[in-house]
Amino acid sequence: MTSEEISLRGFSATLSRLERRLEAINTQFEELDEAARRLTERLEQHRQDLAVQAHQDQVWGSLLEDKFTTVETNLFFTYVADALCCCHEQVVRKLPDLAQSLPTTACILRRKIKNRRIDRAWESTIRDLGLEHSDIKALCAFFVTHGYQAEYYNPFQRRKLAEGAETLVQKAVRNPVLRDSLLRAVQVVEEGKAGTLVSPQTEEQKPSPSIREQLSKQIMEK
């Protein structure tokens, strides 16, 4: 074997070792890229969770700090109640076989976590109504904060107000998340997507205490 052949074979062996090392390095880079991608996704999810929590903290802070007049509280509560009841009614309409086991909106929110049918019905409902998940959280927060003292306004009482609901929301609610959620609740009700808790025959009568009981049964847990 000549020296040239020996030199060529050594060069080929060296080249093969370099190729294997490059392949190993490329594999390591791919693994690092995948790890970086997963970390970026986790950080982005964490950022979104923090943003949602910050919004919720702002909503609760606004509800506890802002002072609404009695009329504003009652009117906002009325639209919140009707919008949440609409969500409940739409889900039950989509799942008639589960109606007996879904007596309240709170029940739907709890059970949708483990039941895919309920979750799909809920997701399609809020999408159809033009609502976001943040809207539902804000509306529930308002209901919990003011539901114990608010009075439900029937359609006749709403029409007697000098200013419309959207105008009052824009003027009275400082927190943008809560304000946008209340405005969307008003739109849901005013566009006819939500019913009311009072029948037309009794809309000119003063709401009785039973209306509040009806609200609690339809929206919150018994």
Side-chain angles (χ1 to χ4, degrees), residues 119 168 189 191 197 218:
D119 184 60
L168 284 177
V189 177
E191 290 177 3
L197 301 181
Q218 292 194 30

Side-chain angles (χ1 to χ4, degrees), residues 12 105-106 131 199:
S12 297
T105 305
L131 298 172
S199 64

